[in-house]
């Protein structure tokens, strides 16, 4: 077990090398005063390069967020009351990455508060997802929150333009629709990129030194929180407590610093698959932590691979590359293991087999304010351990640039470029990158078998679904990921496109080159035009999937692209059948 190792949370560390790695890193954190230096915004923690230090210095405002925004509570709560009293019943957050995932955590965790607005999130360009975001809503009672740090996020601005047209049709034109919209961005020139922002109902300007994925306790999370009716005083008080705890110099008594040390130290030992097991209704926290950790640590050939939503399997299904973190909630609903066993039973078995298991607990959903802060601190500390700058995202622009290039090809040729299928299996059309020898191209099963042979020994499977989210599709993707996990003993991740491009996409291209990717795409029979753009939502999401495929291939990573046919649900069932045949070959 954990021997003499003392940590400020329950931790079961069974392997001697893991214990040694954590202990030595804790000693380094103590000797080098990591906690104090982070609290003092000492940029030398991450780099000795003056140019890099200057950039980091402009990304540490999140450390002050609880204090800064506590002063904004009266105005925020007044805003929420004004919107409710004006008759709005629903708010839709148009954002990507941290701008959408923090509001989604809160909207799920506090969904039962009566007499306040319900908050939805739209972070997809799939036309079916765009339509679903507005389905059943009254345009006269819907508030649209346009959240973009840069003011230039393509997905966010595209949905905002469509939503303005939708509201405008009911209230007298797009100009009138602006009185049902608000903007969250950085000060000028960023806010200036959001069309019509100066005429919107309200504008919220974040401090420019708060990065998008570290923005949960800024206007990004707090404006939706005010509309949900969340009591902001205890939410931010929990964040303030976590920020004050950072001042504890002893790492074994500092929960956030110790968590970052464990994550970073075990990743360096090869346990780089951070597997999150989170109770409902705070289970959205897993996706938020996934984007925070992946985008912050996955670069320069290193990184931590967060694994969210992968139901626990038997001990035999795992390699020795995992760190399990359970986040429980008093009165919450724990997820069950894949075979129906309790999470507690399964984690006990995994710990007994030598896998490290950390257990964190929250007494109330309002404690999310502190948990946001602690995980931001932990991620910054993990960056110190891994020797990287956790506040940049050098590879995110690759897929964006490739998307722009694909849209340029659409403008020039009048149609999107195509990746001609190398095999067909019923309604499925299958393409693989050219690194797979032509000998595997006889049929679909051979293509999958050949691609599976390229799985890295300690790699991970990334399933990228460029389709609209439904509970049934999430269940189908869960079944597929568990099939692959159990057959290959590799960690599996699932991301809906294009939302993951703004989070785990950085890790895919910049982290360890061990990812193995399945792209799932489909037709768009009910496409939607984007006002003011020469392309539709369907064309945009297709350009994004093509652009990301090109980026992954440019990094030498295996890509298996499957067109699901006209019926995505039937296509997902066919994909699982195809993989079952390939795995039994």
């Amino acid at each position: 077990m954990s021997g003499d190792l003392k940590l400020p949370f329950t931790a079961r560390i069974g392997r001697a090398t893991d214990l040694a790695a954590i202990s030595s890193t804790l000693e380094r954190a103590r000797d080098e005063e990591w906690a104090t230096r982070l609290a003092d915004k000492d940029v030398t923690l991450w780099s000795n390069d003056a140019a890099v230090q200057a950039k980091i210095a402009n990304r540490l405002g999140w450390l002050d967020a609880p204090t800064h925004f506590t002063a904004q509570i009266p105005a925020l709560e007044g805003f929420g009351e004004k919107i409710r009293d004006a008759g709005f019943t629903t708010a839709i957050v148009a954002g990507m990455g941290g701008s959408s995932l923090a509001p989604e955590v809160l909207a799920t965790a506090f969904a039962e508060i009566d007499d306040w607005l319900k908050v939805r999130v739209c972070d997809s360009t799939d036309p079916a997802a765009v339509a679903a975001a507005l389905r059943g809503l009254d345009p006269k009672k819907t508030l649209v929150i346009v959240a973009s740090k840069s003011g230039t996020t393509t997905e966010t601005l595209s949905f905002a333009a469509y939503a303005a047209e939708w509201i405008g049709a009911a209230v007298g034109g797009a100009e009138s629709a602006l009185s049902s919209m608000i903007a969250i961005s950085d000060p000028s020139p960023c806010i200036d990129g959001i069309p019509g922002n100066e005429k919107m109902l309200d504008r919220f300007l974040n401090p420019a030194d708060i990065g998008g994925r570290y923005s949960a306790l800024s206007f990004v999370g707090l404006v939706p929180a005010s509309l949900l009716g969340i009591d902001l005083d205890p939410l931010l008080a929990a964040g303030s407590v976590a920020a004050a705890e950072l001042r504890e110099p002893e790492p074994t008594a500092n929960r956030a610093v110790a968590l970052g040390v464990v994550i970073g130290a075990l990743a360096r030992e090869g346990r780089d698959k951070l597997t999150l097991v989170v109770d409902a209704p705070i289970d959205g926290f897993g996706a938020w932590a996934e984007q925070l950790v992946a985008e912050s640590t996955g670069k320069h050939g290193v990184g931590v691979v967060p694994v969210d939503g992968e139901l626990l399997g038997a001990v035999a299904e795992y390699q020795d590359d995992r760190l399990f973190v359970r986040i429980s909630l008093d009165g919450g609903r724990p997820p069950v293991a894949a075979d129906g066993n309790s999470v507690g039973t399964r984690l006990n078995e995994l710990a007994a087999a030598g896998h490290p298991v950390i257990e964190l607990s929250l007494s109330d959903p309002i404690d999310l304010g502190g948990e946001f802060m602690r995980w931001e601190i932990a991620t910054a500390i993990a960056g110190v351990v891994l020797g990287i700058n956790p506040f940049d995202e050098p590879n995110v622009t690759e897929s964006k640039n490739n998307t722009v290039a694909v849209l340029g090809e659409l403008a020039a040729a009048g149609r999107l470029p195509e990746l001609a299928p190398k095999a067909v299996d019923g309604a499925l059309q299958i393409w693989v990158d050219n690194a797979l020898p032509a000998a595997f191209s006889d049929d679909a099963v051979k293509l999958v078998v050949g691609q599976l042979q390229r799985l890295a020994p300690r790699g991970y499977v990334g399933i990228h679904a460029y389709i609209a989210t439904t509970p049934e599709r999430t269940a189908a993707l869960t079944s597929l990921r568990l099939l692959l996990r159990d057959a290959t003993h590799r960690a599996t991740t699932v991301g809906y496109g294009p939302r993951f491009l703004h989070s785990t996409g950085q890790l895919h291209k910049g982290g360890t080159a061990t990812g193995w990717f399945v792209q799932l795409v489909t037709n768009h029979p009910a496409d939607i035009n984007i006002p003011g753009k020469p392309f539709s939502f369907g064309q945009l999401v297709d350009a994004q999937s093509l652009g990301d495929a090109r980026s992954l291939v440019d990094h030498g990573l295996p890509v298996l692209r499957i067109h699901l046919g006209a019926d995505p649900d039937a296509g997902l069932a066919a994909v699982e059948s195809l993989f079952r045949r390939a795995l039994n070959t």
Side-chain angles (χ1 to χ4, degrees):
M1 300 298 288
S2 300
D4 295 329
L5 181 63
K6 304 298 182 183
L7 292 169
F9 41 73
T10 300
R12 289 175 282 179
I13 314 294
R15 193 169 66 175
T17 52
D18 293 339
L19 283 167
I22 294 170
S23 296
S24 64
T25 308
L26 286 169
E27 183 176 351
R28 183 182 164 204
R30 182 183 303 110
D31 292 345
E32 297 177 9
E33 300 180 321
W34 288 358
T36 302
R37 290 167 65 193
L38 176 56
D40 290 339
K41 300 182 182 179
D42 182 351
V43 296
T44 64
L45 268 173
W46 301 280
S47 178
N48 293 318
D49 184 291
V52 174
Q53 290 175 351
K55 292 178 180 178
I56 293 174
N58 195 40
R59 286 293 191 99
L60 296 176
W62 56 273
L63 288 162
D64 302 320
T67 300
H68 176 85
F69 287 97
T70 293
Q72 305 296 319
I73 289 176
L76 281 163
E77 292 186 339
F79 170 77
E81 291 168 359
K82 177 181 72 173
I83 296 299
R84 180 192 60 180
D85 295 345
F88 289 96
T89 58
T90 306
I92 299 180
V93 177
M96 297 297 294
S99 296
S100 63
L101 289 167
E104 189 169 78
V105 175
L106 296 172
T108 303
F110 295 92
E112 303 305 318
I113 299 179
D114 294 328
D115 302 323
W116 286 86
L117 279 73
K118 299 302 179 184
V119 172
R120 295 183 180 183
V121 167
C122 186
D123 56 359
S124 176
T125 50
D126 183 285
V130 171
L134 300 175
R135 188 172 296 129
L137 299 182
D138 182 344
K140 296 181 181 179
K141 297 181 178 181
T142 302
L143 180 76
V144 175
I145 302 171
V146 186
S148 170
K149 176 177 172 63
S150 67
T152 60
T153 310
T154 298
E155 299 92 337
T156 300
L157 298 185
S158 295
F159 179 79
Y162 177 67
E165 185 179 78
W166 174 73
I167 295 171
V171 300
E175 189 82 4
S176 299
L178 294 174
S179 61
S180 295
M181 304 177 74
I182 66 171
I184 303 174
S185 186
D186 283 6
S188 185
C190 296
I191 186 69
D192 303 329
I194 299 177
N197 72 86
E198 69 283 352
K199 298 179 181 178
M200 288 182 179
L201 180 61
D202 216 328
R203 308 189 311 169
F204 294 87
L205 301 181
N206 260 339
D209 57 355
I210 298 179
R213 57 187 179 274
Y214 291 82
S215 63
L217 295 183
S218 74
F219 285 134
V220 164
L222 298 177
V223 170
S226 75
L227 300 171
L228 286 161
I230 299 172
D231 189 343
L232 300 185
D233 285 293
L235 184 73
L236 279 169
S240 295
V241 168
E245 289 172 351
L246 177 57
R247 286 286 177 185
E248 167 56 60
E250 171 51 50
T252 61
N254 189 318
R255 176 168 158 172
V257 170
L259 179 61
V261 164
V262 172
I263 291 171
L266 291 184
R268 293 187 67 174
E269 286 297 301
R271 290 194 179 275
D272 60 347
K273 312 304 188 302
L274 173 64
T275 305
L276 300 161
V277 184
V278 189
D279 286 3
I282 62 168
D283 45 325
F285 187 85
W288 176 84
E290 179 184 48
Q291 61 88 30
L292 172 71
V293 173
E295 194 168 16
S296 297
T297 68
K299 58 199 72 171
H300 306 305
V302 300
V304 177
V305 180
V307 182
D308 175 48
E310 184 192 74
L311 301 181
L312 292 179
V315 172
E317 311 305 343
Y318 297 100
Q319 301 187 75
D320 62 348
D321 61 350
R322 299 276 189 148
L323 163 62
F324 296 92
V325 177
R326 168 81 192 284
I327 304 177
S328 61
L329 173 69
D330 288 355
R333 302 185 301 278
V336 296
D339 59 2
N341 271 307
S342 75
V343 164
T345 297
R346 188 48 42 83
L347 288 174
N348 287 339
E349 294 169 352
L350 290 163
H355 293 283
V357 175
I358 289 174
E359 297 181 49
L360 309 174
S361 62
L362 281 67
S363 59
D364 188 276
I366 208 72
D367 295 337
L368 285 167
E371 210 61 19
F372 283 136
M373 194 71 189
R374 290 188 184 95
W375 276 80
E376 289 170 354
I377 293 168
T379 301
I381 292 295
V384 179
V385 181
L386 295 172
I388 50 91
N389 169 12
F391 308 110
D392 67 353
E393 47 285 324
N395 300 100
V396 167
T397 57
E398 291 182 23
S399 290
K400 292 182 182 179
N401 293 339
N402 280 342
T403 296
V404 171
V406 172
L407 290 172
E409 294 173 48
L410 167 65
R415 59 183 178 83
L416 288 169
E418 296 182 0
L419 296 176
K422 296 187 178 181
V424 174
D425 189 71
L428 304 179
Q429 298 181 37
I430 303 153
W431 175 91
V432 297
D433 59 283
N434 291 329
L436 186 67
F440 289 96
S441 299
D442 293 347
D443 62 29
V445 170
K446 286 186 177 180
L447 279 179
V448 175
V449 169
Q451 210 60 339
L452 283 168
Q453 291 176 5
R454 299 174 63 197
L455 262 171
R458 300 174 66 85
Y460 66 97
V461 172
I463 301 172
H464 299 165
Y466 286 87
I467 55 178
T469 308
T470 67
E472 294 77 15
R473 291 172 185 176
T474 297
L477 292 168
T478 296
S479 180
L480 178 61
R481 74 185 295 186
L482 293 180
L483 170 67
L484 286 165
R485 191 271 310 277
D486 294 350
T488 66
H489 308 299
R490 307 306 200 280
T492 61
T493 66
V494 170
Y496 280 98
R499 68 185 292 177
F500 71 85
L501 294 177
H502 292 256
S503 56
T504 55
Q506 167 61 45
L507 170 80
H508 298 155
K509 272 85 73 173
T512 56
T514 58
W516 185 93
F517 301 101
V518 181
Q519 268 197 354
L520 303 173
V521 299
T522 190
N523 294 329
H524 311 292
D527 204 355
I528 299 173
N529 290 324
I530 302 174
K533 296 293 184 182
F535 48 83
S536 66
F537 277 106
Q539 290 171 322
L540 175 56
V541 73
D542 288 347
Q544 290 174 307
S545 71
L546 284 165
D548 197 45
R550 290 179 177 178
S551 185
L552 293 169
V553 170
D554 286 345
H555 283 271
L557 298 166
V559 178
L560 179 67
R561 179 181 168 94
I562 304 176
H563 194 291
L564 299 174
D567 183 343
D569 297 288
L572 287 173
V575 169
E576 180 166 339
S577 174
L578 171 62
F579 272 94
R580 287 190 183 279
R581 283 179 280 145
L583 291 165
N584 288 329
T585 298

